[in-house]
Amino acid sequence: KLDLDRRAAVVESATALDAALQASLRDNLARRYGTGLNVTFAQNPALLGGVRIRVGSDVFDASVAGRLAALGETF
């Protein structure tokens, strides 16, 4: 199960990503994690904008909602 999780990436965005951006994200993730990565794209309007990428236990949150949450924690 852990090996499968490490080979799966979930890319969430507030709106649908065009084919060129999806291909660019796939290429960048393959460079970082190696080939054979299973990438799925999902829409999550709660993000408001930006993207959140999860590969195994790694999470890269560049969403507006994530930035607002981080800002709220600093106050």
XYZ file of all heavy atoms in Angstrom:
552
model
N 0.824 -1.204 0.000
C 0.000 0.000 0.000
C 0.864 1.263 0.000
O 0.566 2.209 -0.709
C -0.931 -0.024 1.206
C -1.716 1.248 1.392
C -3.173 1.028 1.346
C -3.925 2.278 1.671
N -4.230 3.105 0.571
N 1.914 1.275 0.812
C 2.778 2.454 0.858
C 3.460 2.694 -0.478
O 3.612 3.841 -0.904
C 3.830 2.308 1.960
C 3.325 2.359 3.393
C 4.458 2.068 4.370
C 2.696 3.700 3.687
N 3.872 1.620 -1.140
C 4.511 1.769 -2.445
C 3.527 2.329 -3.470
O 3.887 3.169 -4.279
C 5.077 0.435 -2.920
C 5.955 0.598 -4.142
O 6.780 1.525 -4.145
O 5.796 -0.187 -5.091
N 2.283 1.873 -3.418
C 1.256 2.403 -4.326
C 1.005 3.877 -4.058
O 0.847 4.668 -4.990
C -0.043 1.617 -4.186
C -0.048 0.197 -4.738
C -1.371 -0.494 -4.426
C 0.218 0.192 -6.222
N 0.966 4.268 -2.786
C 0.753 5.677 -2.433
C 1.897 6.552 -2.928
O 1.684 7.681 -3.357
C 0.608 5.843 -0.918
C -0.738 5.362 -0.408
O -1.649 5.165 -1.234
O -0.864 5.170 0.816
N 3.127 6.025 -2.882
C 4.275 6.801 -3.347
C 4.281 6.964 -4.866
O 4.929 7.851 -5.388
C 5.577 6.136 -2.915
C 5.936 6.472 -1.493
C 7.239 5.863 -1.125
N 6.858 4.640 -0.410
C 7.643 3.624 -0.166
N 8.866 3.619 -0.582
N 7.212 2.591 0.504
N 3.567 6.112 -5.575
C 3.523 6.165 -7.033
C 2.261 6.854 -7.541
O 1.985 6.867 -8.735
C 3.602 4.750 -7.631
C 4.806 3.940 -7.215
C 6.164 4.579 -7.404
N 6.355 5.191 -8.701
C 7.146 6.233 -8.927
N 7.819 6.778 -7.955
N 7.284 6.741 -10.118
N 1.462 7.413 -6.632
C 0.213 8.087 -7.016
C 0.276 9.560 -6.631
O 0.676 9.903 -5.521
C -0.975 7.422 -6.340
N -0.113 10.411 -7.562
C -0.150 11.855 -7.317
C -1.565 12.351 -7.580
O -2.193 11.952 -8.557
C 0.829 12.580 -8.223
N -2.055 13.203 -6.709
C -3.355 13.834 -6.882
C -3.127 15.333 -6.973
O -2.543 15.930 -6.064
C -4.312 13.514 -5.717
C -5.638 14.236 -5.901
C -4.519 12.015 -5.591
N -3.562 15.919 -8.075
C -3.430 17.354 -8.298
C -4.833 17.950 -8.223
O -5.690 17.627 -9.037
C -2.791 17.666 -9.672
C -2.703 19.156 -9.895
C -1.424 17.004 -9.786
N -5.074 18.788 -7.229
C -6.370 19.445 -7.067
C -6.245 20.901 -7.487
O -5.250 21.557 -7.167
C -6.822 19.405 -5.610
C -7.144 18.031 -5.082
C -7.564 18.121 -3.638
O -6.714 18.478 -2.791
O -8.742 17.856 -3.357
N -7.260 21.390 -8.168
C -7.313 22.799 -8.554
C -8.748 23.278 -8.444
O -9.686 22.479 -8.478
C -6.791 22.992 -9.977
O -7.575 22.267 -10.886
N -8.923 24.580 -8.315
C -10.265 25.147 -8.181
C -11.067 25.004 -9.469
O -12.275 24.817 -9.438
C -10.178 26.614 -7.768
N -10.385 25.090 -10.596
C -11.033 24.941 -11.899
C -10.270 23.903 -12.710
O -9.152 23.516 -12.356
C -11.047 26.272 -12.683
O -9.699 26.700 -12.882
C -11.823 27.349 -11.938
N -10.870 23.467 -13.799
C -10.225 22.471 -14.652
C -8.945 23.050 -15.265
O -8.908 24.209 -15.669
C -11.176 22.033 -15.753
N -7.896 22.244 -15.294
C -6.627 22.658 -15.890
C -6.605 22.245 -17.356
O -7.066 21.153 -17.696
C -5.459 22.004 -15.151
C -5.360 22.285 -13.655
C -4.210 21.503 -13.044
C -5.182 23.768 -13.397
N -6.061 23.106 -18.209
C -6.002 22.754 -19.629
C -4.951 21.666 -19.861
O -4.125 21.372 -18.996
C -5.749 23.985 -20.505
C -4.413 24.655 -20.251
O -3.438 23.960 -19.916
O -4.336 25.879 -20.405
N -4.986 21.060 -21.031
C -4.131 19.918 -21.350
C -2.646 20.270 -21.270
O -1.833 19.464 -20.801
C -4.473 19.380 -22.731
N -2.270 21.472 -21.701
C -0.863 21.870 -21.673
C -0.349 21.976 -20.238
O 0.768 21.534 -19.934
C -0.677 23.195 -22.400
N -1.152 22.537 -19.344
C -0.748 22.668 -17.952
C -0.686 21.296 -17.281
O 0.224 21.025 -16.489
C -1.698 23.603 -17.204
C -1.327 23.968 -15.774
C 0.091 24.517 -15.687
C -2.300 24.983 -15.225
N -1.628 20.427 -17.602
C -1.591 19.071 -17.058
C -0.326 18.345 -17.502
O 0.327 17.679 -16.699
C -2.827 18.280 -17.492
C -4.092 18.698 -16.789
C -5.285 17.843 -17.184
O -5.160 16.836 -17.872
N -6.461 18.250 -16.737
N 0.030 18.473 -18.778
C 1.239 17.824 -19.290
C 2.484 18.382 -18.603
O 3.400 17.628 -18.248
C 1.333 18.017 -20.795
N 2.524 19.694 -18.384
C 3.659 20.314 -17.708
C 3.784 19.804 -16.271
O 4.890 19.491 -15.809
C 3.494 21.828 -17.724
O 4.521 22.445 -16.997
N 2.667 19.716 -15.569
C 2.691 19.195 -14.201
C 3.146 17.742 -14.176
O 3.945 17.346 -13.319
C 1.313 19.331 -13.555
C 0.941 20.740 -13.108
C -0.531 20.823 -12.744
C 1.801 21.177 -11.938
N 2.652 16.926 -15.107
C 3.087 15.526 -15.188
C 4.595 15.424 -15.400
O 5.274 14.630 -14.754
C 2.370 14.811 -16.337
C 1.031 14.277 -15.996
C 0.527 13.338 -17.100
N -0.794 12.868 -16.782
C -1.920 13.402 -17.247
N -1.874 14.415 -18.085
N -3.086 12.921 -16.889
N 5.130 16.241 -16.324
C 6.567 16.221 -16.608
C 7.376 16.623 -15.379
O 8.385 15.992 -15.046
C 6.902 17.152 -17.772
C 6.377 16.649 -19.103
O 6.042 15.447 -19.207
O 6.299 17.469 -20.042
N 6.963 17.683 -14.700
C 7.678 18.144 -13.509
C 7.632 17.123 -12.377
O 8.627 16.900 -11.686
C 7.136 19.485 -13.035
C 7.519 20.623 -13.947
O 8.580 20.608 -14.554
N 6.653 21.607 -14.073
N 6.481 16.490 -12.192
C 6.364 15.465 -11.152
C 7.208 14.240 -11.498
O 7.825 13.638 -10.620
C 4.898 15.075 -10.945
C 4.031 16.134 -10.256
C 2.558 15.761 -10.332
C 4.463 16.322 -8.814
N 7.258 13.873 -12.783
C 8.076 12.736 -13.208
C 9.559 13.024 -12.972
O 10.313 12.129 -12.573
C 7.822 12.419 -14.676
N 9.992 14.253 -13.200
C 11.388 14.611 -12.934
C 11.720 14.510 -11.445
O 12.796 14.089 -11.066
C 11.686 16.030 -13.424
C 12.191 16.040 -14.840
C 12.652 17.418 -15.261
N 11.633 17.898 -16.196
C 11.024 19.051 -16.139
N 11.327 19.916 -15.216
N 10.105 19.378 -17.007
N 10.765 14.901 -10.625
C 11.013 14.897 -9.178
C 10.876 13.500 -8.559
O 11.656 13.127 -7.694
C 10.055 15.857 -8.489
C 10.282 15.961 -7.002
C 9.432 17.057 -6.403
N 9.667 17.148 -4.989
C 10.438 18.050 -4.407
N 11.051 18.942 -5.136
N 10.574 18.068 -3.110
N 9.863 12.728 -9.002
C 9.564 11.439 -8.374
C 9.881 10.231 -9.249
O 9.712 9.102 -8.810
C 8.086 11.384 -7.965
C 7.772 12.327 -6.834
C 7.226 13.584 -7.069
C 8.037 11.973 -5.517
C 6.949 14.459 -6.033
C 7.765 12.830 -4.474
C 7.221 14.075 -4.735
O 6.959 14.924 -3.704
N 10.308 10.442 -10.477
C 10.622 9.330 -11.369
C 9.443 8.966 -12.243
O 8.307 9.397 -12.024
N 9.731 8.163 -13.255
C 8.677 7.754 -14.187
C 7.764 6.723 -13.526
O 8.100 6.144 -12.499
C 9.300 7.162 -15.461
O 10.123 6.054 -15.084
C 10.114 8.193 -16.211
N 6.625 6.507 -14.127
C 5.668 5.536 -13.611
C 4.741 6.100 -12.556
O 4.032 5.353 -11.885
N 4.727 7.402 -12.415
C 3.857 8.054 -11.439
C 2.451 8.159 -12.024
O 2.265 8.608 -13.142
C 4.405 9.447 -11.118
C 3.804 10.191 -9.952
C 4.080 9.454 -8.648
C 4.383 11.587 -9.871
N 1.454 7.718 -11.278
C 0.061 7.780 -11.705
C -0.522 9.114 -11.226
O -0.750 9.298 -10.039
C -0.720 6.597 -11.128
C -2.163 6.595 -11.557
O -2.519 7.198 -12.561
N -2.994 5.937 -10.789
N -0.741 10.041 -12.156
C -1.211 11.386 -11.817
C -2.696 11.503 -12.139
O -3.116 11.196 -13.248
C -0.422 12.461 -12.598
C -0.905 13.851 -12.218
C 1.067 12.322 -12.365
N -3.480 11.928 -11.150
C -4.897 12.205 -11.378
C -5.164 13.669 -11.063
O -4.546 14.244 -10.164
C -5.810 11.316 -10.509
O -5.459 11.470 -9.138
C -5.703 9.854 -10.897
N -6.081 14.240 -11.816
C -6.448 15.644 -11.650
C -7.883 15.717 -11.147
O -8.751 14.996 -11.637
C -6.309 16.393 -12.981
C -4.884 16.484 -13.451
C -4.338 15.502 -14.252
C -4.083 17.551 -13.063
C -3.024 15.574 -14.674
C -2.768 17.630 -13.475
C -2.234 16.638 -14.278
N -8.114 16.578 -10.157
C -9.445 16.733 -9.580
C -9.739 18.211 -9.376
O -8.829 19.012 -9.161
C -9.535 15.992 -8.245
N -11.013 18.549 -9.434
C -11.436 19.920 -9.157
C -11.930 20.003 -7.722
O -12.640 19.125 -7.248
C -12.553 20.342 -10.103
C -12.084 20.544 -11.515
C -13.219 21.051 -12.400
O -14.185 21.610 -11.917
N -13.073 20.833 -13.692
N -11.519 21.059 -7.036
C -11.940 21.314 -5.665
C -12.183 22.813 -5.535
O -11.260 23.578 -5.258
C -10.869 20.838 -4.682
C -11.266 21.028 -3.243
O -12.286 21.629 -2.942
N -10.447 20.511 -2.338
N -13.425 23.263 -5.732
C -13.724 24.702 -5.678
C -13.373 25.358 -4.346
O -13.166 26.566 -4.288
C -15.230 24.772 -5.941
C -15.594 23.468 -6.561
C -14.595 22.470 -6.063
N -13.261 24.575 -3.272
C -12.931 25.131 -1.965
C -11.521 25.706 -1.930
O -11.194 26.499 -1.045
C -13.084 24.067 -0.885
N -10.671 25.360 -2.891
C -9.313 25.896 -2.931
C -9.285 27.367 -3.337
O -8.297 28.048 -3.098
C -8.438 25.092 -3.898
C -8.184 23.639 -3.531
C -7.337 22.972 -4.598
C -7.521 23.518 -2.179
N -10.324 27.854 -3.982
C -10.484 29.232 -4.443
C -9.574 29.585 -5.607
O -9.916 30.385 -6.446
C -10.251 30.237 -3.305
C -11.130 30.081 -2.082
C -10.685 31.060 -1.001
C -12.584 30.271 -2.417
N -8.400 29.026 -5.681
C -7.433 29.278 -6.748
C -6.150 28.529 -6.443
O -5.957 28.039 -5.332
N -5.271 28.409 -7.414
C -4.012 27.709 -7.211
C -4.195 26.207 -7.282
O -5.209 25.699 -7.746
N -3.182 25.481 -6.804
C -3.232 24.013 -6.825
C -2.708 23.445 -5.520
O -1.947 24.086 -4.793
C -2.393 23.411 -7.992
C -2.961 23.780 -9.329
C -0.944 23.795 -7.885
N -3.131 22.211 -5.247
C -2.611 21.418 -4.134
C -2.219 20.073 -4.739
O -3.027 19.438 -5.418
C -3.658 21.212 -3.056
C -3.133 20.387 -1.881
C -4.204 20.096 -0.845
N -4.781 21.333 -0.357
C -6.055 21.438 0.033
N -6.869 20.422 -0.035
N -6.508 22.592 0.475
N -0.979 19.651 -4.504
C -0.483 18.402 -5.062
C -0.086 17.490 -3.909
O 0.645 17.897 -3.001
C 0.741 18.652 -5.972
C 0.367 19.604 -7.102
C 1.276 17.331 -6.526
C 1.544 20.092 -7.923
N -0.584 16.237 -3.964
C -0.244 15.245 -2.944
C 0.367 14.037 -3.630
O -0.230 13.438 -4.514
C -1.485 14.832 -2.160
C -1.184 13.881 -1.028
C -2.403 13.617 -0.143
N -3.669 13.627 -0.840
C -4.268 12.529 -1.338
N -3.719 11.368 -1.224
N -5.433 12.642 -1.946
N 1.593 13.697 -3.232
C 2.276 12.500 -3.717
C 2.718 11.733 -2.478
O 3.609 12.172 -1.757
C 3.502 12.836 -4.590
C 4.157 11.551 -5.089
C 3.122 13.731 -5.754
N 2.066 10.606 -2.227
C 2.363 9.867 -1.001
C 2.082 10.743 0.197
O 0.986 11.281 0.352
N 3.088 10.936 1.045
C 2.902 11.792 2.224
C 3.355 13.231 1.981
O 3.233 14.075 2.868
C 3.663 11.206 3.418
O 5.044 11.168 3.138
N 3.878 13.519 0.784
C 4.288 14.880 0.435
C 3.080 15.686 -0.031
O 2.318 15.219 -0.874
C 5.324 14.884 -0.689
C 6.639 14.250 -0.292
O 6.894 14.131 0.920
O 7.398 13.870 -1.202
N 2.917 16.874 0.517
C 1.830 17.763 0.104
C 2.427 19.129 -0.215
O 3.136 19.715 0.606
C 0.755 17.913 1.205
C -0.325 18.890 0.766
C 0.147 16.569 1.545
N 2.142 19.605 -1.423
C 2.561 20.937 -1.853
C 1.290 21.749 -2.033
O 0.495 21.474 -2.919
C 3.341 20.856 -3.169
C 4.544 19.959 -3.080
C 4.482 18.649 -3.514
C 5.725 20.426 -2.543
C 5.581 17.821 -3.425
C 6.831 19.613 -2.442
C 6.760 18.307 -2.890
N 1.086 22.724 -1.160
C -0.152 23.501 -1.179
C 0.149 24.926 -1.637
O 0.694 25.726 -0.886
C -0.801 23.504 0.200
C -2.210 24.056 0.189
O -2.630 24.631 -0.838
O -2.907 23.910 1.206
N -0.211 25.216 -2.873
C -0.058 26.563 -3.421
C -1.434 27.130 -3.738
O -1.615 27.860 -4.702
C 0.825 26.530 -4.667
N -2.410 26.772 -2.901
C -3.773 27.237 -3.125
C -4.037 28.516 -2.342
O -3.353 28.815 -1.358
C -4.779 26.160 -2.694
O -4.735 25.984 -1.291
N -5.032 29.253 -2.769
C -5.438 30.467 -2.062
C -5.953 30.099 -0.673
O -5.615 30.760 0.315
C -6.499 31.245 -2.873
C -7.046 32.405 -2.067
C -5.905 31.732 -4.184
N -6.728 29.035 -0.583
C -7.267 28.606 0.714
C -6.136 28.242 1.674
O -6.183 28.577 2.864
C -8.212 27.420 0.525
N -5.093 27.569 1.173
C -3.952 27.215 1.999
C -3.194 28.430 2.484
O -2.764 28.506 3.629
N -3.039 29.402 1.607
C -2.337 30.634 1.999
C -3.147 31.434 3.013
O -2.598 32.028 3.938
C -2.040 31.474 0.778
C -0.979 30.835 -0.105
C -0.704 31.656 -1.318
N 0.235 30.950 -2.184
C 0.617 31.390 -3.361
N 0.152 32.537 -3.818
N 1.461 30.691 -4.075
N -4.473 31.472 2.850
C -5.321 32.168 3.816
C -5.268 31.477 5.175
O -5.237 32.146 6.213
C -6.761 32.240 3.306
C -7.027 33.205 2.145
C -8.448 33.053 1.644
C -6.749 34.638 2.563
N -5.247 30.153 5.186
C -5.147 29.413 6.444
C -3.820 29.703 7.132
O -3.772 29.899 8.355
C -5.310 27.914 6.193
N -2.727 29.730 6.355
C -1.416 30.043 6.937
C -1.387 31.459 7.488
O -0.810 31.709 8.547
C -0.326 29.861 5.873
N -1.998 32.394 6.777
C -2.066 33.769 7.234
C -2.869 33.864 8.525
O -2.483 34.582 9.461
C -2.687 34.662 6.167
C -2.786 36.144 6.456
C -1.396 36.743 6.625
C -3.539 36.855 5.354
N -3.969 33.113 8.602
C -4.784 33.114 9.800
C -4.045 32.568 11.008
O -4.267 33.011 12.142
N -3.144 31.615 10.796
C -2.369 31.040 11.905
C -1.341 32.020 12.450
O -0.953 31.923 13.599
C -1.676 29.763 11.446
C -2.629 28.615 11.220
C -1.925 27.376 10.699
O -0.678 27.356 10.671
O -2.628 26.438 10.310
N -0.912 32.973 11.623
C 0.102 33.916 12.089
C -0.495 35.017 12.986
O 0.240 35.678 13.706
C 0.828 34.595 10.908
O -0.098 35.313 10.110
C 1.558 33.566 10.071
N -1.808 35.190 12.928
C -2.446 36.228 13.752
C -2.840 35.712 15.071
O -3.241 34.952 15.592
C -3.650 36.844 13.035
C -3.249 37.748 11.917
C -3.541 37.439 10.602
C -2.562 38.927 12.169
C -3.180 38.277 9.562
C -2.196 39.772 11.145
C -2.502 39.436 9.840
